[in-house]
Amino acid sequence: MPGIIQFLGFVHREELPEIYALAEGLIFPTHSDPWGLVVNEAMACGLPVIVTSVAGCTLDLVQDGWNGFVVPPRDASALARATASLAETPNCEWKWETEAANALRLTRPPPGLREY
């Protein structure tokens, strides 16, 4: 239901695609996180993301205002503005989906390259 924020708690990995399909975006207001794999997952599903600048994935995946929003940690006002911008941007899903998928493609190793 639009306009509803739900906190689901723990969800099994097998259930994640269904949950992401129901979502309109991901808000990741971490105060500290070495990466934030949930951001990768959400972007792979074409969701717009709002992340804090201290999440490790931010520099590699999120370009503020282009494929998501980056806010300072512990800044409730900035988080509220980014959330409102996301909710009020009409017909933005096509842009988010394309840009989120492109950002993830850029971070994957080339085919044939062995990962260690």
Side-chain angles (χ1 to χ4, degrees):
M1 175 176 257
I4 302 293
I5 295 176
Q6 294 182 324
F7 297 94
L8 300 177
F10 178 79
V11 175
H12 288 280
R13 179 178 44 214
E14 297 80 21
E15 300 169 16
L16 288 175
E18 181 180 340
I19 300 298
Y20 286 125
L22 295 171
E24 294 182 30
L26 173 81
I27 301 172
F28 188 60
T30 186
H31 295 175
S32 171
D33 197 297
W35 184 259
L37 187 58
V38 67
V39 177
N40 291 67
E41 294 169 349
M43 291 177 76
C45 292
L47 292 176
V49 297
I50 299 172
V51 299
T52 55
S53 57
V54 296
C57 65
T58 301
L59 289 175
D60 291 326
L61 298 181
V62 185
Q63 295 178 33
D64 189 41
W66 182 246
N67 65 353
F69 293 106
V70 179
V71 298
R74 296 180 172 89
D75 188 337
S77 296
L79 184 60
R81 285 191 303 275
T83 303
S85 293
L86 179 65
E88 294 169 359
T89 303
N91 302 318
C92 68
E93 290 181 357
W94 68 268
K95 177 183 173 185
W96 292 114
E97 185 172 343
T98 302
E99 295 308 323
N102 285 340
L104 288 177
R105 269 195 285 284
L106 294 173
T107 62
R108 292 185 182 141
L113 181 66
R114 290 179 51 188
E115 294 183 48
Y116 293 94

